[in-house]
Amino acid sequence: MKNKSIWSNYLNNNDIKVIDEDKNVDIVIIGGGITGLSIAYSFLNDNCNVCLLEKNIIGSGITSKSTAKITYLQDGIYEKINRLRNYEYAKLYYESQREAIDKIIDIIDSNNIDCDKQESDSYLFTFSNTKKLDKEKELLTSFGCNVESITILSDGLKVKRGIKCGETYTFNPIKYLNGLKEIIKDKIPIYENSCVKKIIKNKDYYLIRSNNHTIKAKYVILCTHYPYFLFPYLMPLKCSLEKSYIALIKDDSNNNFQAITNELPTLSIRYVEDKYKLILTNSNNLAYSQNDVDNFKKLIKLKPEYVWSNIDIITKDYLPYIGEIDNNLYIATGYNTWGMTNSMVACSVIHDLIANKNNKYSNLVNPKRKNNLSISIKYPLYLINNMYSF
């Protein structure tokens, strides 16, 4: 058994360039996961000077620990957004996810990126909470989505109620990032092992310190998963941290689907390389439970080939925080466990904001969006939770 993600086998230590000089650029992207590289890719054909800084190597952070599902069927998220916001927010979020999937698949296909892309049906199911699942189906149908009711998954697992949707995918996220890096690196410098130590704001520009060098930039884009250091933005008030535990088990069933519950404890399934079954379970808020030993013991009973864990950022209204938080300073975070698609939403929104173009999703994911009472009441709880977690 290996205590690491299977995706980490594909991390590329070759051809690493480290920041070794002062630079003056238009845009600095901080973070070399799927969000950072996707945003860099979006600027490839623009007339601007861009560089990317990654503290380790490309993909070695949260992206390498993902379940790597490219899906819009996301653990009952539309019912949650509809309840906390309204129908229009839920529908717009759905549209953002469908558009993101199309863009990811287009990037893969148009650039012939070898990343084990597979089309696979998605299931959302419950062992008990039929009311919320029925609402999710109702919402998806109203959005124009083709939804099929089921009571059994493709592997024979019987559920109380479930739904099935198509036009969703899985892939190897690190092979995908390695492909993006090859496309990008000749036009946009990618600096790895280049940790950002300080960001200094001046009137019309920022100074970024990395490896004893200074990068001057008009725009800074933070793609660092959890930018807790942004004190004026008060991230600990606006999100909670959720930890999940993942096992990869030998499986020769030739199944090819992905599935997730809309209830706790979370159970998430997908298949990998036609020989593994990936299971994610025991997701919990870090403020309430940090019992790694017991959670890993449960996975080890399954006799896995690989085990690992991941930490996700959960926002109050289940919508990401993507956009400008200060003059020419942008963030992309709070993906609520759905980073593969929301990284592409971030790519679209931030690129258009910098280019002064309208984007239909910019208000939806605006990190400075106003909250209603049912959302704002969570502020004190989130602060306590995050203080306890750290």
Side-chain angles (χ1 to χ4, degrees):
M1 182 186 72
K2 298 178 181 178
N3 188 17
K4 65 175 186 176
S5 159
I6 188 172
W7 316 127
S8 64
N9 292 332
Y10 300 91
L11 292 171
N12 187 0
N13 288 290
N14 300 320
D15 194 26
I16 288 178
K17 183 188 294 185
V18 179
I19 186 77
D20 60 358
E21 61 178 352
D22 294 347
K23 295 186 71 68
N24 189 344
V25 299
D26 299 315
I27 302 168
V28 167
I29 301 167
I30 301 174
I34 191 167
T35 299
L37 262 71
S38 296
I39 292 174
Y41 179 87
S42 75
F43 284 104
L44 267 183
N45 297 316
D46 290 17
N47 186 25
C48 55
N49 191 358
V50 183
C51 76
L52 185 148
L53 300 169
E54 162 56 41
K55 69 176 181 179
N56 294 313
I57 62 174
I58 293 299
S60 60
I62 294 298
T63 303
S64 68
K65 300 175 177 65
S66 168
T67 58
K69 296 178 179 181
I70 308 173
T71 182
Y72 56 87
L73 200 58
Q74 303 174 356
D75 64 6
I77 199 164
Y78 305 108
E79 184 276 329
K80 295 174 183 175
I81 296 172
N82 179 67
R83 174 165 40 87
L84 291 169
R85 288 292 184 179
N86 57 42
Y87 177 84
E88 286 71 26
Y89 274 79
K91 186 174 187 292
L92 196 59
Y93 179 76
Y94 167 80
E95 291 171 358
S96 77
Q97 302 305 290
R98 295 302 300 257
E99 185 176 309
I101 292 171
D102 289 344
K103 287 183 176 181
I104 294 171
I105 301 308
D106 180 66
I107 290 172
I108 293 170
D109 292 345
S110 62
N111 293 287
N112 295 313
I113 298 176
D114 178 13
C115 59
D116 304 331
K117 180 199 76 177
Q118 278 192 307
E119 187 168 3
S120 62
D121 290 331
S122 288
Y123 294 92
L124 180 68
F125 66 96
T126 180
F127 295 113
S128 60
N129 196 344
T130 59
K131 184 177 180 181
K132 287 188 176 181
L133 192 135
D134 289 343
K135 181 62 177 179
E136 192 77 355
K137 180 184 177 183
E138 177 187 326
L139 286 166
L140 284 163
T141 302
S142 75
F143 300 157
C145 182
N146 185 16
V147 184
E148 178 184 341
S149 295
I150 56 100
T151 56
I152 188 169
L153 305 189
S154 295
D155 61 356
L157 178 65
K158 293 182 179 180
V159 301
K160 188 162 186 179
R161 193 164 299 168
I163 57 177
K164 173 184 174 182
C165 296
E167 298 180 291
T168 59
Y169 301 82
T170 59
F171 71 155
N172 180 320
I174 301 307
K175 290 177 74 173
Y176 174 68
L177 288 194
N178 290 340
L180 277 186
K181 178 183 174 182
E182 286 301 310
I183 297 165
I184 293 167
K185 67 178 185 179
D186 290 336
K187 291 186 177 181
I188 294 177
I190 295 174
Y191 299 110
E192 299 171 78
N193 294 332
S194 301
C195 182
V196 171
K197 298 293 186 181
K198 187 179 291 187
I199 301 173
I200 302 169
K201 179 184 177 183
N202 283 288
K203 185 177 180 181
D204 298 317
Y205 60 89
Y206 290 88
L207 296 175
I208 298 93
R209 292 289 294 169
S210 176
N211 291 10
N212 295 319
H213 294 285
T214 300
I215 303 95
K216 181 181 177 181
K218 180 177 180 180
Y219 302 98
V220 175
I221 306 172
L222 298 173
C223 309
T224 55
H225 188 56
Y226 186 48
Y228 60 88
F229 52 83
L230 293 176
F231 179 75
Y233 181 59
L234 299 176
M235 273 294 293
L237 280 172
K238 298 189 174 186
C239 65
S240 62
L241 304 179
E242 181 179 285
K243 190 166 188 177
S244 302
Y245 301 84
I246 305 164
L248 206 68
I249 304 159
K250 281 283 188 181
D251 185 283
D252 58 1
S253 64
N254 293 318
N255 280 309
N256 176 31
F257 69 88
Q258 51 183 298
I260 192 168
T261 55
N262 73 328
E263 61 197 355
L264 297 175
T266 302
L267 174 61
S268 177
I269 301 166
R270 65 157 287 195
Y271 290 83
V272 178
E273 297 179 359
D274 297 324
K275 61 182 178 180
Y276 296 111
K277 182 179 183 178
L278 184 153
I279 296 175
L280 177 149
T281 189
N282 296 329
S283 298
N284 60 79
N285 187 312
L286 279 178
Y288 303 124
S289 174
Q290 298 193 50
N291 197 336
D292 284 353
V293 174
D294 283 351
N295 287 323
F296 276 120
K297 278 183 177 179
K298 292 175 183 177
L299 290 182
I300 290 169
K301 289 179 181 179
L302 301 174
K303 299 181 179 179
E305 298 285 315
Y306 294 82
V307 293
W308 70 94
S309 62
N310 195 14
I311 295 178
D312 289 291
I313 299 172
I314 310 300
T315 65
K316 302 181 308 302
D317 57 3
Y318 299 96
L319 292 166
Y321 295 136
I322 299 168
E324 189 176 37
I325 57 169
D326 203 344
N327 185 38
N328 295 336
L329 177 65
Y330 300 83
I331 64 165
T333 188
Y335 292 164
N336 300 287
T337 80
W338 301 105
M340 301 300 99
T341 48
N342 280 310
S343 64
M344 192 55 63
V345 177
C347 166
S348 170
V349 169
I350 292 177
H351 178 273
D352 285 354
L353 287 173
I354 290 177
N356 290 316
K357 296 179 180 178
N358 291 326
N359 187 289
K360 64 185 290 188
Y361 307 119
S362 59
N363 289 330
L364 176 77
V365 297
N366 185 350
K368 296 187 284 189
R369 60 185 177 265
K370 294 181 180 180
N371 297 310
N372 57 37
L373 181 60
S374 63
I375 297 172
S376 299
I377 201 169
K378 295 183 180 181
Y379 273 114
L381 177 62
Y382 275 39
L383 179 59
I384 294 169
N385 286 354
N386 281 281
M387 289 174 64
Y388 184 81
S389 299
F390 280 97

